[in-house]
Amino acid sequence: MARATRSNDWGFPRWREYGAEREATRVRLCDRHGCAEPGNHPAPKAPNSPERWYFCQAHAAEYNRGWNYFEGLSAEEAAEREARDQRTQAGYRQSSHQAWAGSGDGSRSRDEMRALDVLGLDPDAEFEAVRTAWRRLAKESHPDVRPGDADAAKRFQAVQTAYEVLRAAEERREWKPA
């Protein structure tokens, strides 16, 4: 009778996470001669080539500092390629000026940015400035102050909604679990 081999799972409860095996994991080493660090950072061997070097972070930084994309091209060819590449990246250039991305640091959502626009505030306005602007605009366009004015009523609703969005966002930022 053949002896049963040990299985990879030890029954219930499982003592390790799913997908964990006993076999050693393969680690790619840095392609720099003499380096024993893991090579997790790919770098191209040549322009427009699918082949890659795999370096550790320090050697990848060193390789990138010495990388010349226009190596082997004449000055005219390099200028032509640079102009062609810049022409096709116009969307990224526009994005850098927050055309559709909202606040540059990513701290505010698109809805918050719209709410700040309704209140006439800058993207980096503090909540106290939000509260002050909300009170001022609400007093100006309140239906009791301007009875019968439909535009003022719509403006009042927009100001109220903007304040609610910003108040909820501020509460989410300030809330800390106990």
Side-chain angles (χ1 to χ4, degrees):
M1 176 186 271
R3 182 173 177 192
T5 60
R6 251 171 93 174
S7 71
N8 275 346
D9 101 15
W10 296 351
F12 186 81
R14 292 179 62 94
W15 296 106
R16 63 189 177 281
E17 63 273 356
Y18 288 101
E21 300 294 329
R22 291 185 182 164
E23 293 81 28
T25 58
R26 294 180 55 94
V27 176
R28 177 189 295 269
L29 293 180
C30 180
D31 284 335
R32 182 69 178 258
H33 179 69
C35 183
E37 296 291 319
N40 298 329
H41 305 280
K45 288 187 176 183
N48 302 323
S49 171
E51 295 181 23
R52 302 280 186 247
W53 296 107
Y54 288 89
F55 294 119
C56 64
Q57 186 171 5
H59 290 127
E62 178 185 334
Y63 181 79
N64 288 337
R65 276 192 300 272
W67 176 260
N68 183 2
Y69 183 75
F70 300 112
E71 186 175 348
L73 297 177
S74 67
E76 298 84 32
E77 292 171 331
E80 179 185 329
R81 179 176 282 176
E82 184 177 8
R84 185 179 66 234
D85 289 349
Q86 285 181 354
R87 238 189 347 260
T88 61
Q89 297 172 357
Y92 297 109
R93 194 175 315 113
Q94 183 183 11
S95 165
S96 68
H97 290 92
Q98 303 176 4
W100 70 75
S103 64
D105 61 356
S107 63
R108 295 200 186 264
S109 70
R110 182 180 295 147
D111 291 335
E112 292 174 68
M113 295 301 292
R114 282 193 210 119
L116 287 168
D117 191 40
V118 167
L119 295 176
L121 296 172
D122 293 331
D124 58 347
E126 298 292 327
F127 189 69
E128 194 57 41
V130 168
R131 184 176 288 133
T132 304
W134 166 68
R135 285 183 179 156
R136 179 179 47 81
L137 293 171
K139 285 180 184 178
E140 288 175 4
S141 59
H142 196 278
D144 290 343
V145 174
R146 298 179 181 250
D149 189 358
D151 291 336
K154 286 182 183 178
R155 175 80 176 143
F156 179 75
Q157 286 180 339
V159 167
Q160 286 297 106
T161 304
Y163 178 72
E164 290 299 320
V165 166
L166 293 169
R167 187 178 57 81
E170 183 68 17
E171 287 175 0
R172 279 193 305 271
R173 275 191 205 92
E174 289 181 358
W175 183 81
K176 304 242 184 315

